[in-house]
Structures are given as structure tokens and as C-alpha cells.
Amino acid sequence: MQKKTFLRAFWRLFKGYWQSEEKWRARGLLALVIGLNFAAVYLLVQINSWYNVFYNALQGYDKASFWPLVGEFTGLAFLYIIIAVYAIYLRQMLQIKWRVWMTDKYLARWMQGQTYYRLQVLGSDTDNPDQRISEDINQFVNLSLQLLVGFLKQLTTLGAFSVVLWQLSGAFTVPIGSHEFVIYGYMFWFSLAYSIIGTGLAHLVGRKLIRLDFDQQRYEADFRFNMMRVRENSESIAFYRGEQPETRGFKERFAKVVQNFWQLMRRTKLLNFYVNGYGQLAIIVPLVLAAPNYFSGAMALGGLMQTVSAFGRVQDALSYFVDSYDTIAQLVAVIHRLTGFTGHMEDVAEVQNGVAHVEGTAQALALDDLAVSLPDGRTLLTACTVTLPQGSRVLVTGASGCGKSTLLRTLAGIWPYGHGQVTLPQGSRVLFLPQRPYLPLGSLRGALTYPQTTAGTDATLQAALRQVGLASLCGELDRIDDWSRILSLGEQQRLAFARVLLVRPDWLFLDEATSALDEPREQAMYELLERELPELSIVSVGHRSTLFAQHEQELHLAGDGTWQLQPIG
């Protein structure tokens, strides 16, 4: 990522929270954190001055000053500890508030307009959106605050201790031939040159870490996602005896994790060699530079120790980029991932649904010149114009792959490939039942009433369970478990019919929603709907011949774009 691109991407992600409805609280908290760090720098300057007095007292065997100076240091250290602790605590408070805000925004954008679904339908290459929201946002907020506050603190440290170092180092005379050149504040200039050179070399050594950090996060997420897929489909894999290919898949993905980590280790090793060598050399350099003044008597022991301490502070401040290079590399990788995720969601949002969905005054479902196609352009349905009155029972048939389920996706408004218009009665309640019902984690009550956010009374829920033949679950409403694992597919499909009784929709669309039921149970479910919801309109997709008895019309799709609507019987 180029420098300008990185800065634009960083600012785009960064500015949202600080310009949001929480901006004044956020800015106030940030100002407090920065203020505490400035106070910490002030105390470090006072401690640096204390070195001069204390070590001069030691050199002069001034016993009377020893304990008062120890007491002074204790007071300064106590204040510094309190300030340092609360600076970190308040920064973490700001971090969690910022993370909550960003997570809410990303979750809303991800869920809005079925973006989570369209990212897959439109073939986006965004991998593991869950990781982007859960981990990358946290890292972005943490690393941004860490680097921002750290930079401001080190900048303040540089300003404060540069003055101290300039005053302490005095002048250095360099004889060149018959001339003498005097360098004022020579230790400051040496520290500046030392840090600039060190920063440039650190970038040369560590720049490959950016790509390696990005790849490591991606490979780790792919490995974790593969294991999650096995857990979700454990029964199917067990039936297939698929342990060997799944294990091979684990090993292939984990091999990428390990291979990239070895490269990360080697590059980090080189950077650590450099950073540690750079840091250790900085310990002895000020002693060597200040030694002539000390041994000539121009500087006392206290001045020497104060000079060494001030040089270390200036060098640390100037070397902030060197010490933080690995952190910066992580931030660049995180920004790259979040920017890519954001861009894909924006691209998806810009894709207009070719099929218009409107509400009409007539009590009928009307398809007007409806056309449905696949992403590759292959046509599944063309010029479909039909009107289905309220109370219709239509069975959609056709060979596998002819577009029956895709037609239902189009009617639901989640399939963007096509054109035409779908009109539903104004204010009508619509419910879609897929072949495999979705059961959210949590209580059976929540699974039964999904997608409604409010549950009915226990008596109402238990009555619905009994009507679909799940009376044994009446006492389990508040049991929290993974119900998609506990219930068979047939039981899950019956649970979906119980949802229909609770939602009481006007239009019901079923995509092979009885495929796991035996024929008598399938018949019982349709008869239950007819008895309890006599005005219900039903559009079913299915292959069984027994479904014809439960419907009045057949919409047959040929698979080449042609279609035919005809009465049954």
C-alpha cells in the first residue's frame, strides 16, 4: 500500500468516530489521556534533574542530603506511577468506546440490505467478514490509539529533553587543519543523526512484515473457518466417513499458517537483531560522548548521569518509528483488510436490484415481465407475467437447476440478477421457508419465534408445537442449546411450520420445506395450514408428485427461460 493511499485509507477509517454523535465525549477523553501523558513527561524531566543533584551528593559523600533526596524521588515516582496507570486505563476506556461505535456501524452496514448475503452472491473476494468485524476493528482501534498517544508523548519528550541535552552537552571542538569548528549541543545532533539513520535501516529490514502480517491473519482465519464448517456439518461428514479429506484440508490450510509464520519469524528475527543492537548501542554511546567532559573535570558525576538519561530520552523519542515498526506493520495490514471489506460492502450496496418490488391495491401477487438470470448471464426465466389472487396455491415445478429456488429468491428481493416487477398486496405479511430452517443459538423459545423479536405466551407456543407433532418439546421452551444439532431435519421443518402458525402470514413461500418429511406428515402439514389459515396464499417449490394434491395451479419452468402456468387436475 503506497504512502498516500495508506494515509487516505487510515483517515477514512479514523475520522468517523471523531466526527460522530459521540465526538465531544471522545475528544474530551482523548484530551485527558494526552494531558496525563504530558504530565508524565514533565515528571520525567523532574526526575532527570534529580539525577544531577543525587549523584553529585553521592560523589561528594553528602550523607545529610541522601535521605531527603530519596524521599523526593519517592514522591516523584509515586505521582508518575499514578499518572501512568490512569493514562493507560483511560486510553483503554476510549478504546472500548471507539470499538463499540465502529462495531455497531459495521454490523449495521453488513446486515443492511442483505449485504452479508449479497457479498457471496456477487462473488466478492472478501474472506471471513466475521474476522474483519470482531478482530480487525479491535486491532485498528488499539493500534491507532497506541501509536497516536505514543507519538504525541514521544514528541513532547523530544521537545523537553532536547533542551536539557543541548544545555548539558555544551560545545564540542573539532580541529580540522589550522581551523577549529565548534559544534554546540553536539550530543543532540548526534542523537538526531543516529535516530534518522536507524529509522531508515529499520524500514529496509522490516518492510516485508506488512505483507506477512496480512497473510498470517488471512491464513489463520481460513484455518479456523474450515474447522467451524466441520463442526456445523459434523453429521453429514460422519455419514460420508469424510474424516480423511477433512483432515487433509486442515493440514493444507494449517501448512500455509506455519509456512507464513516461519517467514514472519525470520523477518522478525532480523528486525529484532537490529532493534536490540540499536538499543544496546544507544546505552554506551552517550557515556563515550560525555566521557571527555567528565574526565576533564568540566562535568560532575551528576551531570554525567543526567546527560546519559537525557540522551536516552531524546534517542527513544527519535527512535519511536524504529521501536514501533512491527506495530505500524500490523496497523497497515489491518487497514488494508478493513478498507477492502468496506469497499466490497459499498460495491454491493451500489448494485441495484433489477427487479422492482412494489405494493399494490389489488389482493393478488402479480409478476410483470419478470426475467431471472444467473451471474454468468444464463437465462432461467423470461417475460413471466402472471397474476395470483389471494388464497392461491401454486406449485413451482421443473428439472433440477431450472431456477425454481432462484425464482423464490427473486420474489424475496434478495436476488439482483433480473428485471421486471413483483407486486404484492399493500401491507401483506410474507414468510419464506427454506429447505433447511435456520435455528439461532439460544433457547427453543427464540428458535420457535424467529424471526419475530417478541414471543407469545407459553400456551400459544406449546399449542403450535403440539399441532405440528412436537409435543415432546413443550417443556423445553427455555432450554438453551444448539437446536439445529439436537433436532433432526424433519423436526426442524415441522418447527418451521409452527412458526407459520405463530406469524400467520398472508403469503407463504416454501422452498422444498417438506423434503425431510414422509408423505403422510407432509400432507398433514399442508392440511394444518389450510385448516388454521384458510386465507393463506401458498407458493411451493418441490419435486414430489404428492405435492400436486395440495395445490391448485402448477408453474412449470423449462430451464431455457420458458414457463407455463396451468391448473392442476
Side-chain angles (χ1 to χ4, degrees), residues 16 140 230 349 418 421 482 492 531:
F140 172 76
V230 170
Q421 180 172 295
D482 183 2
Q492 293 179 43
R531 183 173 63 252

Side-chain angles (χ1 to χ4, degrees), residues 125-287:
D125 61 352
T126 297
D127 59 310
N128 307 298
D130 54 306
Q131 184 196 21
R132 302 286 176 267
I133 296 174
S134 65
E135 293 184 18
D136 288 346
I137 288 178
N138 182 39
Q139 283 196 335
F140 172 76
V141 171
N142 180 34
L143 296 176
S144 296
L145 280 178
Q146 182 180 331
L147 290 170
L148 174 63
V149 175
F151 172 76
L152 291 175
K153 181 178 180 181
Q154 294 299 347
L155 187 63
T156 307
T157 300
L158 176 62
F161 281 94
S162 291
V163 175
V164 175
L165 186 60
W166 184 285
Q167 294 173 344
L168 290 172
S169 57
F172 185 74
T173 303
V174 181
I176 300 179
S178 59
H179 299 280
E180 291 184 344
F181 291 92
V182 179
I183 302 175
Y184 295 95
Y186 69 96
M187 293 188 69
F188 168 77
W189 294 115
F190 182 86
S191 177
L192 180 62
Y194 181 77
S195 301
I196 291 174
I197 295 172
T199 298
L201 291 176
H203 179 63
L204 292 176
V205 174
R207 59 185 176 182
K208 290 186 178 180
L209 282 173
I210 295 173
R211 183 65 197 181
L212 291 172
D213 277 325
F214 176 83
D215 289 339
Q216 189 66 27
Q217 288 290 333
R218 181 162 59 91
Y219 294 145
E220 294 278 8
D222 288 342
F223 178 55
R224 184 172 60 249
F225 179 73
N226 195 40
M227 290 189 290
M228 183 179 70
R229 287 278 296 166
V230 170
R231 179 171 60 84
E232 291 178 345
N233 299 277
S234 57
E235 183 176 344
S236 298
I237 295 171
F239 274 126
Y240 278 115
R241 298 292 191 268
E243 294 81 9
Q244 186 173 353
E246 293 299 331
T247 302
R248 184 170 65 250
F250 288 155
K251 290 182 177 180
E252 289 174 356
R253 286 171 174 79
F254 189 62
K256 293 181 180 180
V257 172
V258 174
Q259 181 182 5
N260 192 79
F261 191 73
W262 274 109
Q263 296 181 54
L264 193 63
M265 286 171 55
R266 285 190 285 268
R267 184 54 55 173
T268 304
K269 179 182 69 175
L270 292 177
L271 183 62
N272 284 337
F273 265 126
Y274 174 75
V275 170
N276 283 284
Y278 177 85
Q280 291 302 313
L281 185 61
I283 295 175
I284 195 66
V285 164
L287 289 172

Side-chain angles (χ1 to χ4, degrees), residues 2 105 161 233 294 302-303 347 393 408 436 494:
Q2 297 180 350
K105 295 299 180 184
F161 281 94
N233 299 277
Y294 176 73
D347 292 342
R393 290 174 172 253
L408 257 62
R436 177 175 288 277
R494 280 187 279 159

Side-chain angles (χ1 to χ4, degrees), residues 96-127:
I96 193 62
K97 289 179 178 292
W98 189 2
R99 181 186 177 186
V100 168
W101 184 88
M102 282 194 71
T103 301
D104 287 344
K105 295 299 180 184
Y106 269 82
L107 282 175
R109 186 181 298 181
W110 189 45
M111 299 302 291
Q112 185 178 15
Q114 292 92 35
T115 299
Y116 59 92
Y117 173 73
R118 288 176 169 238
L119 283 171
Q120 297 179 340
V121 172
L122 298 175
S124 166
D125 61 352
T126 297
D127 59 310

